[in-house]
Amino acid sequence: MATVAMARSQEDFFAIENSVFSQSRATLSASTSAITHADSNTAGPRPDTPGEGPQDKLVEMPPVDATPPSFLQLQPYLVLEPQNPGTDKFVFDAEKHLSTETLPKVYTMEELGLADEKGVSPIGVSEAFSLFSFEAIEAMRSEILCQEVFDNHHFQSNASTCQLRGFAPKHTPFVYDAFTHPKTLSIISRIAGLDLVPVMNYELGHVNISVKTEEEQKAEIQKYQEAILDQGYNESRDPVVDWHNDSYPFVCVIMLSDARDMIGGETALCTGTGEIVKVRGPQKGSAVIMQGRYIHHKALQSIGVAERITLVVSFRPKDPGLPDDTVLSTVRGISNLGELYEQYAEYRLEIVEERIRRALKNLRTNARAHKQFNTANFKAVVHELVSFLQATDNEMVNDHLVPRGHVPLSIPTHPLNETCAASSLTVEEGASQAQGMPLEETNGTVETQDRDMAA
């Protein structure tokens, strides 16, 4: 199976998979090249550093098409379950709706060759695991896939023609309760390797939607079969979402569609050595946990299904003393800025408040113990607070300077290894190569490429 080649043009990295309602690639390329400011935080250095913020850079670019597909346009292509009378509202029950029995296998940042990245946890990504029951997923779909959500929370960008954001808790109380419940947070935190909380309500959550007609599905499968025979299939073309780093430390990606007949649809990761590895696509109700702020990744195209709908919920460390590397570069252009900035400002100030409380408590404790005041340590605390506030200011770009519908995408930081031009790897195989270990030394069973493709 072919993967991304080093010689691919930058234009190809801005393709979107939605042949029913897609924009022309030429328009996307022109829009991207017209950006005059640099979203330098997208690729991942710590943002808690004073410096020039992007708010002083004028943005001049053609706007993304302001008429994204409506719910009525998409409705014929969505698999919608009929609603029974009186079941329009759902109540989350952890005992009933959580289905995690065992924790999934995880791969560390070191195993992915990313030990030098400044992550907040040693855990990089998990394998797909069952998180919610079928009934819970249907409740989420019922809340999200409705006219009211589309009318108020529908966004289109150069990365995707159909995204829904900022709908919880007003329109989706079940989704909100599911991801703020202590048992759900406990499961996600144990997998991630540290206590996590949702970043803010606005990110509960983000939905990516891709749909196709029956005719397009058949033509796609035929083209795929012919390409396999000719050894010309490139699974990296026309991704659902192209190469990027997330704005937030951790994400939980939930599959809301029936993926039993889906070909492809995995998440591709770029390791520290340039290999491209794939996390097998989850089935309906399953999830993948990933430290997406620090791992370059993209969602590969899916073939053979009418819809591919994923729900992405973002998380940050619960402990306010830990680094918070959140940036807004990938979400500013596809958000209601008033809501996004208000919630971002609130939680960032809460972190500052708690850090000051801790510093004050430590100062008073040392004073009562008659310890000499440590000027250097106190100045370090002040510098950290100033850096944190400066980073907060840098991310809150003035509204009129934010290009609507633009999400910065980028080629992986590490040059793609030429060994990936012929075949891509499973995450387990890639982790072993990133470590310089032979495959037989890895734990678990290494799947063949054919089995991986069928997953």
Side-chain angles (χ1 to χ4, degrees):
M1 297 182 293
T3 188
V4 185
M6 293 179 66
R8 284 187 60 191
S9 67
Q10 186 172 357
E11 178 182 343
D12 284 338
F13 283 88
F14 294 89
I16 51 176
E17 185 212 39
N18 192 318
S19 55
V20 181
F21 308 109
S22 64
Q23 304 170 73
S24 69
R25 185 171 294 180
T27 301
L28 295 178
S29 180
S31 299
T32 305
S33 62
I35 301 168
T36 61
H37 80 287
D39 266 312
S40 59
N41 280 335
T42 304
R46 282 207 187 283
D48 296 0
T49 304
E52 182 183 21
Q55 61 266 41
D56 298 325
K57 311 267 185 154
L58 180 62
V59 175
E60 297 178 357
M61 61 176 294
V64 172
D65 186 356
T67 57
S70 67
F71 178 69
L72 291 178
Q73 287 176 295
L74 289 173
Q75 193 171 15
Y77 307 99
L78 299 174
V79 182
L80 300 176
E81 295 293 330
Q83 285 297 303
N84 296 321
T87 61
D88 58 323
K89 298 296 181 183
F90 302 90
V91 177
F92 180 74
D93 183 340
E95 298 299 326
K96 180 180 180 181
H97 293 132
L98 288 175
S99 64
T100 304
E101 296 181 357
T102 58
L103 297 183
K105 183 173 181 178
V106 296
Y107 298 90
T108 66
M109 297 290 280
E110 184 177 3
E111 287 175 319
L112 295 174
L114 298 172
D116 293 335
E117 296 295 323
K118 297 179 180 180
V120 293
S121 168
I123 303 301
V125 64
S126 77
E127 291 187 344
F129 66 101
S130 177
L131 180 57
F132 293 111
S133 68
F134 176 83
E135 182 180 343
I137 295 301
E138 290 308 308
M140 292 180 186
R141 287 177 61 96
S142 177
E143 286 188 338
I144 294 169
L145 302 177
C146 69
Q147 184 74 56
E148 189 174 21
V149 170
F150 269 76
D151 287 347
N152 295 281
H153 304 281
H154 189 189
F155 296 90
Q156 179 174 357
S157 72
N158 60 304
S160 175
T161 55
C162 189
Q163 296 173 308
L164 305 174
R165 292 175 45 74
F167 40 75
K170 180 179 179 181
H171 300 296
T172 57
F174 185 92
V175 172
Y176 177 84
D177 291 343
F179 282 98
T180 57
H181 194 281
K183 288 190 176 181
T184 308
L185 293 177
S186 175
I187 293 171
I188 294 173
S189 296
R190 288 172 64 192
I191 295 170
L194 80 164
D195 288 337
L196 297 174
V197 293
V199 172
M200 48 188 159
N201 287 350
Y202 199 85
E203 298 300 345
L204 285 167
H206 171 116
V207 174
N208 293 311
I209 300 178
S210 173
V211 297
K212 298 165 191 169
T213 65
E214 185 175 350
E215 292 74 19
E216 287 168 334
Q217 295 174 57
K218 292 179 180 178
E220 203 173 49
I221 292 176
Q222 181 178 355
K223 184 177 180 181
Y224 160 74
Q225 292 172 337
E226 293 172 353
I228 288 293
L229 292 176
D230 296 337
Q231 296 184 339
Y233 174 62
N234 187 343
E235 63 188 352
S236 292
R237 289 187 60 84
D238 300 331
V240 178
V241 180
D242 220 323
W243 289 112
H244 66 286
N245 285 65
D246 295 331
S247 279
Y248 307 108
F250 268 93
V251 292
C252 176
V253 183
I254 309 291
M255 176 61 73
L256 299 184
S257 297
D258 186 346
R260 287 175 294 183
D261 297 326
M262 183 184 296
I263 301 172
E266 302 96 336
T267 298
L269 315 177
C270 183
T271 71
T273 58
E275 269 77 23
I276 303 301
V277 301
K278 298 183 301 179
V279 179
R280 292 183 179 88
Q283 297 300 309
K284 190 173 184 179
S286 294
V288 168
I289 308 296
M290 179 171 61
Q291 198 168 185
R293 178 71 186 93
Y294 314 97
I295 301 176
H296 218 52
H297 61 282
K298 70 174 178 178
L300 297 176
Q301 64 173 314
S302 56
I303 297 174
V305 290
E307 57 162 56
R308 182 189 188 275
I309 304 176
T310 55
L311 170 63
V312 183
V313 178
S314 299
F315 295 88
R316 58 182 171 88
K318 181 179 180 180
D319 183 355
L322 292 177
D324 175 32
D325 291 348
T326 290
V327 297
L328 302 181
S329 53
T330 66
V331 297
R332 280 191 296 258
I334 51 172
S335 299
N336 180 317
L337 284 178
E339 293 183 42
L340 179 73
Y341 283 174
E342 181 180 35
Q343 294 182 25
Y344 173 74
E346 181 181 11
Y347 98 75
R348 296 281 286 192
L349 288 176
E350 287 175 349
I351 289 177
V352 170
E353 180 182 35
E354 181 56 31
R355 289 181 179 180
I356 290 176
R357 289 183 188 278
R358 292 183 180 184
L360 184 58
K361 180 180 179 180
N362 186 59
L363 186 151
R364 288 169 173 168
T365 299
N366 289 340
R368 285 194 295 268
H370 304 291
K371 293 184 179 179
Q372 184 176 352
F373 181 77
N374 191 318
T375 304
N377 284 352
F378 183 76
K379 287 176 67 69
V381 171
V382 172
H383 177 75
E384 180 187 79
L385 291 171
V386 170
S387 297
F388 188 85
L389 288 170
Q390 181 65 67
T392 303
D393 176 58
N394 288 352
E395 294 305 315
M396 300 179 71
V397 178
N398 289 329
D399 295 25
H400 69 283
L401 296 179
V402 175
R404 304 304 298 165
H406 170 69
V407 175
L409 303 172
S410 58
I411 296 172
T413 304
H414 305 284
L416 301 182
N417 192 310
E418 291 185 8
T419 61
C420 295
S423 64
S424 55
L425 309 170
T426 66
V427 66
E428 188 164 30
E429 294 167 337
S432 67
Q433 290 202 12
Q435 289 288 294
M437 297 164 51
L439 291 178
E440 58 267 21
E441 291 185 15
T442 61
N443 293 325
T445 302
V446 176
E447 303 289 340
T448 66
Q449 290 296 323
D450 288 341
R451 289 185 61 187
D452 180 50
M453 191 60 217

